Amino acid sequence: MRWVTYATDSGDRVGVIGEEGRIHPLAPGVSLIELIARGAEELRAAGEAALASAVRTVPPAEARLRAPIPRPPSIRDCLCFLDHMRNCQEAAGSPRTLDDTWYELPAFYFACPSTVAGPYDDVTISPGSAWFDFELEIAAVIGPGGRDLTPEQAEEHIVGYTVYNDWSARDLQLRESPLAIGQAKGKDGATTLGPYLVTPDELAHLRRDGRLSLRVEASVNGRTIGSGRTDAMDWSFGEVISFASRGVDLVPGDVFGSGTVPGCCLVEHLSLADPAAFPGWLRDGDVVELTVEGLGRTRQTVRASAPPYPLAPRHNPDRRPARPRVNRAPSKLPYTRGLHEVAAGVWAWLLPDGGYGWSNAGLVAGEGASLLVDTLFDLPLTAELLAAVRGITDRHPLAHAVITHANGDHTHGNQLLGDSVRIVAAEATCAEMRHELPPEMLTAAQVVDVGPATPYFRERFGAFDFSGIRLRLPDLTYEGELTLDVGGREVRVTNLGPAHTGADSVVHVPDAGVLFAGDLLFVGCTPIVWSGPIGNWIAACDKMIATGADTIVPGHGPVTDPDGIRAVRGYLTHVIEQADAAHARGLSFAEAAEAVDLGEYATWLDSERIVVNLHRRYRELDPAATPPLDQLTLMAMMAERALS
């Protein structure tokens, strides 16, 4: 029989599905736990009585199905499929070999009964998670309770099976893993059960060698993510229930999840070697469908959540204090967080200290219209910016937003701009945005243990919230130069790249003498040449000076003047001189990185970026002898230098 619990105006009601597919209700007030506690025979008798009753039946389409057992006494999620664990380790870059304990003990953890969801309910992303995942499992439900059961007795205590979705916040899991006390906030966001509780006799023809052999498939937005069969279990339900019952009274309605059928979740498809192939973590509006032969299908929409209430960390007396970070560059204005008017109707939004992710933005207001220069690294930072300029944009509504280049600390907030705002960028910037690392993957810097370099990544990226970001591409692209009218003010947008990235735009407001330089200008912090050539960046510095602007807003660091551009030009020239001299002496790139003399630039923030800049120059000098290195490898090399 297939049992359901469904919601009515007067409360939950239990029913059994007839051969015609309609729900045959039992009397109001009867719960499925109460029925299954009586044992399989009485459960069958109650079902047969409902099927024979003259009470009006209900089409499933007209019923809001709840989980068959909406509030189980307990939920244990087991790991019956060891290939799932092997796949997860491989996805994290570790060997597939499992510790002997996995073969000696059937692992399980306790899930949260109060967050059980029905088969078609919306599911909210765990607050603070950017790596939300599903896991296709099946579950066995205990009928009459028992204690110290043998595997054979345990099988007899299973009253039915259902589809089980173990919703998982992977980033929260990783963040909690050093605690080594089991699953916590990474797992208690939601557990889906349903649509039916199917009794074992209904599935007898699908048993193979003592295990259920059910075909399964998981999809997101209609795209198949994984499929498989449930008879691939290494540990049977009888074995895991027997293990759990040692010295413990199991009670009617206790739920045992099987663990994930290999391949039927997102994390198993993550590849550090090929991140572009990853289908992506779940986002607001995604639809997840799990189909299990004999047990039915769940279909649920993922919804965004509100941010969690922040908790201040406790003082760690054993932690080495972080090195003080002070941007010592001179500034035309106080270098403080917030909005600064740099000329009539022109503002800079500054985020000290100018290191990774702490980028600047700008606003240009004309008569009845305004233009934004760049958004910020995450949604909370961008929301703070937009709230600060609202007094201006209410009077001069935003018409355009110019994105200076593709990096996330200048683009991730795009989605918060209204539909009426036209986002403008160079054509090459738009193309590069399509291939940038997905925003949520940057969460890896906050949660993944990468060995000795971990403190570097946590310090540099730990302050940002990469959840909920959806890439919004430009509405208007240009080649070379574009002139915009912003409420009667001329604003010139020019692509001076490739340099920092594949395209680097500057925004010149001639009547105010202001230039927004994007990441062609770092002030008090070290430039980083992801694209190059370096010579082109030096030429871009000359072109920025040639605009005649006397107030320069950099992409990172305090507001400056043409001397700030000259300082960056001097640094880039120094890189070329150092790299060329080392190359002429026959030093390899790695040797040059060890031998380089930063001179006066050693005090600039993030001086370890010399690693990337030397590599870029060596690639320009002799690409055959200096192989390309991916961004993650270069970041690890910078971390090693910074921590040495």
Side-chain angles (χ1 to χ4, degrees):
M1 290 183 175
R2 292 179 295 161
W3 290 89
V4 296
T5 298
Y6 63 101
T8 71
D9 293 340
S10 57
D12 288 347
R13 194 157 179 182
V14 173
V16 64
I17 305 294
E19 290 185 1
E20 80 288 0
R22 295 172 69 90
I23 299 172
H24 294 252
L26 273 72
V30 176
S31 72
L32 196 48
I33 286 183
E34 177 186 340
L35 289 174
I36 64 179
R38 302 173 187 169
E41 291 305 317
E42 289 203 33
L43 179 65
R44 170 173 288 280
E48 290 174 347
L51 292 172
S53 169
V55 174
R56 188 183 73 86
T57 59
V58 180
E62 295 180 11
R64 182 198 158 200
L65 292 188
R66 305 256 283 143
I69 300 176
R71 188 71 174 265
S74 73
I75 305 173
R76 293 171 176 85
D77 198 8
C78 310
L79 206 146
C80 298
F81 301 90
L82 295 184
D83 258 350
H84 167 63
M85 196 64 194
R86 296 185 187 102
N87 294 344
C88 288
Q89 291 191 174
E90 185 176 35
S94 301
R96 291 177 60 84
T97 305
L98 299 180
D99 186 90
D100 285 345
T101 309
W102 289 100
Y103 302 94
E104 297 164 356
L105 299 176
F108 71 85
Y109 68 88
F110 283 96
C112 183
S114 67
T115 55
V116 168
Y120 311 118
D121 292 343
D122 289 355
V123 168
T124 302
I125 294 171
S126 297
S129 175
W131 290 7
F132 199 55
D133 197 358
F134 68 88
E135 296 185 74
L136 189 161
E137 310 183 17
I138 62 172
V141 178
I142 298 298
R147 182 186 181 98
D148 295 321
L149 304 172
T150 66
E152 293 74 22
Q153 290 171 331
E155 288 282 354
E156 293 172 359
H157 279 67
I158 297 172
V159 75
Y161 300 89
T162 190
V163 180
Y164 184 116
N165 190 341
D166 174 27
W167 301 93
S168 304
R170 300 299 187 185
D171 46 348
L172 303 187
Q173 271 188 286
L174 284 169
R175 193 72 185 93
E176 295 166 339
S177 61
L179 301 175
I181 58 173
Q183 305 285 2
K185 296 308 294 180
K187 284 288 190 177
D188 71 354
T191 300
T192 297
L193 301 175
Y196 318 114
L197 178 71
V198 181
T199 53
D201 57 296
E202 290 268 336
L203 304 169
H205 65 292
L206 296 173
R207 296 187 73 87
R208 304 287 185 272
D209 299 322
R211 286 172 166 77
L212 287 175
S213 180
L214 312 178
R215 294 189 305 273
V216 306
E217 181 177 313
S219 69
V220 177
N221 300 327
R223 174 188 175 186
T224 298
I225 301 297
S227 60
R229 302 190 73 93
T230 61
D231 58 352
M233 283 179 162
D234 295 276
W235 294 99
S236 70
F237 273 125
E239 289 168 325
V240 297
I241 294 171
S242 170
F243 178 67
S245 75
R246 293 179 182 178
V248 173
D249 289 315
L250 303 182
V251 300
D254 280 346
V255 173
F256 284 81
S258 66
T260 309
V261 179
C264 294
C265 62
L266 293 171
V267 70
E268 291 187 42
H269 300 279
L270 180 64
S271 170
L272 296 179
D274 186 15
F278 182 57
W281 302 108
L282 296 175
R283 296 180 174 184
D284 182 50
D286 285 346
V287 177
V288 177
E289 294 185 81
L290 307 184
T291 305
V292 179
E293 181 183 12
L295 300 184
R297 178 178 66 99
T298 66
R299 187 178 192 275
Q300 297 174 273
T301 301
V302 174
R303 298 300 183 194
S305 61
Y309 183 83
L311 299 176
R314 306 298 88 156
H315 171 65
N316 181 355
D318 301 316
R319 182 179 180 183
R320 186 176 69 179
R323 298 174 184 175
R325 289 177 57 87
V326 179
N327 191 317
R328 296 184 172 86
S331 176
K332 295 187 67 170
L333 296 169
Y335 187 33
T336 56
R337 179 171 179 149
L339 198 62
H340 299 262
E341 189 165 15
V342 296
V346 183
W347 293 264
W349 176 265
L350 306 180
L351 287 179
D353 54 32
Y356 289 103
W358 299 110
S359 56
N360 300 328
L363 184 72
V364 181
E367 188 59 43
S370 60
L371 174 147
L372 187 71
V373 180
D374 285 335
T375 58
L376 301 172
F377 208 13
D378 63 21
L379 301 184
L381 284 175
T382 303
E384 180 187 358
L385 160 66
L386 296 177
V389 302
R390 190 161 294 128
I392 303 164
T393 57
D394 282 349
R395 291 179 285 113
H396 310 283
L398 274 178
H400 296 90
V402 174
I403 301 303
T404 58
H405 62 288
N407 287 170
D409 53 347
H410 298 259
T411 65
H412 282 173
N414 288 3
Q415 74 191 71
L416 297 185
L417 301 177
D419 293 340
S420 61
V421 179
R422 295 189 79 192
I423 297 179
V424 180
E427 177 61 39
T429 292
C430 183
E432 203 166 21
M433 286 175 68
R434 298 178 189 276
H435 302 289
E436 278 281 287
L437 192 69
E440 63 270 19
M441 292 307 296
L442 290 168
T443 300
Q446 302 170 333
V447 300
V448 175
D449 186 344
V450 291
T454 300
Y456 177 85
F457 288 105
R458 297 279 168 86
E459 179 186 339
R460 296 301 194 273
F461 297 99
F464 305 106
D465 177 1
F466 298 115
S467 63
I469 300 170
R470 285 186 179 273
L471 186 64
R472 179 178 169 186
L473 294 173
D475 306 298
L476 172 65
T477 61
Y478 76 97
E479 297 279 1
E481 185 168 313
L482 175 70
T483 299
L484 296 172
D485 182 294
V486 180
R489 301 184 78 167
E490 179 185 351
V491 175
R492 299 173 186 167
V493 185
T494 308
N495 177 16
L496 300 181
H500 171 63
T501 60
D504 296 284
S505 295
V506 297
V507 179
H508 183 206
V509 189
D511 69 0
V514 176
L515 181 74
F516 292 93
D519 278 9
L520 286 174
L521 194 61
F522 291 73
V523 175
C525 40
T526 306
I528 188 165
V529 191
W530 288 121
S531 183
I534 298 177
N536 199 47
W537 196 331
I538 292 172
C541 288
D542 293 335
K543 292 174 183 176
M544 288 192 290
I545 293 171
T547 64
D550 55 9
T551 299
I552 318 294
V553 181
H556 296 258
V559 174
T560 188
D561 55 25
D563 283 343
I565 302 176
R566 294 185 185 99
V568 169
R569 191 187 193 284
Y571 171 83
L572 296 169
T573 301
H574 185 73
V575 170
I576 290 178
E577 291 170 351
Q578 289 284 307
D580 290 10
H583 188 266
R585 297 202 310 272
L587 299 182
S588 67
F589 153 63
E591 292 168 333
E594 289 292 328
V596 66
D597 177 12
L598 286 174
E600 64 182 287
Y601 307 107
T603 60
W604 286 12
L605 293 179
D606 303 319
S607 61
E608 68 274 7
R609 291 172 176 175
I610 186 63
V611 171
V612 175
N613 300 336
L614 282 175
H615 181 261
R616 172 50 50 198
R617 182 58 179 171
Y618 260 64
R619 288 280 296 157
E620 293 170 10
L621 292 170
D622 191 352
T626 307
L629 297 175
D630 62 73
Q631 196 173 77
L632 290 177
T633 300
L634 289 167
M635 289 290 291
M637 294 175 69
M638 285 192 287
E640 182 179 359
R641 182 182 179 93
L643 295 171
S644 63

